[in-house]
Amino acid sequence: ALLGARFNRDCTVLALGGGVVGDMAGFAAASFQRGVDFVQVPTTLLSQVDSSVGGKTGINHPLGKNMIGAFKQPHVVMADMAQLDTLPDRELSAGLAEIIKYALLGDIEFLSWLEMHMPRLVARDAVLLAEAVYRSCLHKAKIVAADEHEHGDRALLNLGHTFGHAIESYLGYGEWLHGEAVAAGMVMAADLSHRMGWLSHADVERVRRILQQANLPVTCPDIPVEKFLALMAQDKKVLAGQLRLILLKQLGQAVITRDVEIEQIKQTILACQQQQNQEQLR
């Protein structure tokens, strides 16, 4: 479209929309004439707190999520909070998943704040939502500034994502919203962290409870275990043939680890699926 309209290198691509629009527009801006200016105007809660900040752009492929893309920093990100007034409830909850992620990976005080205010956040309290967006962006910007191209600690931002991406890939992109898949993935990461001896059962229940308060899924779809593992193995966080998982040493402290036995991952997948079956029986 840019070529057809005879745009040139001095144009600016403006992304007005959610995470998918921002990712596609950013990838186009990164690729067109080897890079043109780019501005993000995120209109969903998830894109305001996560995908619009940090410079990752990309498109999905049937073999994996966001496998084709580029790093492209926007010149500015403008989050207009009034846009959230028109957001469907399900989309709002998907954004809350990423906000909860920031608390789990690096800010236990923020987690307590979210637990206290979650009913009002779900009810779209404008002041509280603005505070949550601001604090989330601060968390992400700090991590990205230290590791823009994800050679190290930026991978911590993918808490719950390796499990979540497998769910999205299996079900087909769009069947579950990204935040919904991440929510289930964070429960699975917490469960696996418990099996590693890091989190208590009460910690896992605390993670599950706050996600439920945000009206997010906390169980896993019925995906064959071997297929689930194969989809996880296609994740971008696989390095030198080894699967790197983001787990929790404690609530508020995430770590990148490769020292997880496949059998433990299988147990986590099966446990999450059994929880799904039990809830369906109720």
Side-chain angles (χ1 to χ4, degrees), residues 51-102:
S51 60
S52 68
V53 181
K56 279 187 177 179
T57 71
I59 56 176
N60 296 332
H61 186 277
L63 294 180
K65 183 177 174 66
N66 289 338
M67 283 296 180
I68 303 165
F71 288 95
K72 177 66 175 176
Q73 292 293 347
H75 275 59
V76 66
V77 179
M78 187 176 71
D80 178 2
M81 303 304 297
Q83 293 291 326
L84 302 182
D85 294 339
T86 65
L87 205 61
D89 290 342
R90 189 178 167 196
E91 290 277 1
L92 186 85
S93 291
L96 289 171
E98 292 284 2
I99 291 173
I100 293 167
K101 176 196 75 176
Y102 292 116

Side-chain angles (χ1 to χ4, degrees), residues 166-195:
I167 293 171
E168 288 181 274
S169 295
Y170 182 82
L171 295 179
Y173 304 118
E175 185 66 26
W176 275 30
L177 298 176
H178 175 66
E180 293 171 336
V182 167
M186 287 192 290
V187 173
M188 298 175 81
D191 178 272
L192 186 52
S193 299
H194 172 61
R195 295 177 192 277

Side-chain angles (χ1 to χ4, degrees), residues 144-259:
V144 171
D147 179 24
E148 181 178 1
H149 294 118
E150 200 171 297
H151 298 304
D153 284 351
R154 180 168 180 167
L156 294 172
L157 293 168
N158 292 305
L159 176 66
H161 284 57
T162 301
F163 291 109
H165 286 170
I167 293 171
E168 288 181 274
S169 295
Y170 182 82
L171 295 179
Y173 304 118
E175 185 66 26
W176 275 30
L177 298 176
H178 175 66
E180 293 171 336
V182 167
M186 287 192 290
V187 173
M188 298 175 81
D191 178 272
L192 186 52
S193 299
H194 172 61
R195 295 177 192 277
M196 297 283 287
W198 295 337
L199 294 188
S200 67
H201 177 71
D203 289 333
V204 179
E205 288 305 308
R206 188 177 176 186
V207 172
R208 184 179 284 113
R209 187 164 54 249
I210 190 171
L211 291 167
Q212 286 176 319
Q213 289 174 340
N215 299 322
L216 287 158
V218 293
T219 60
C220 174
D222 193 12
I223 303 171
V225 174
E226 294 303 325
K227 179 63 176 177
F228 204 117
L229 290 170
L231 289 169
M232 290 176 69
Q234 293 173 350
D235 192 82
K236 298 188 299 301
K237 288 170 289 301
V238 172
L239 194 63
Q242 286 187 302
L243 180 62
R244 297 182 298 161
L245 287 172
I246 316 305
L247 300 180
L248 295 167
K249 278 279 189 178
Q250 60 186 33
L251 297 184
Q253 182 187 349
V255 293
I256 305 167
T257 181
R258 304 176 189 177
D259 300 324

Side-chain angles (χ1 to χ4, degrees), residues 126-146:
V127 174
L128 292 177
L129 278 173
E131 175 72 10
V133 169
Y134 178 72
R135 293 176 71 161
S136 297
C137 288
L138 283 182
H139 277 293
K140 182 159 190 180
K142 181 180 177 180
I143 293 173
V144 171

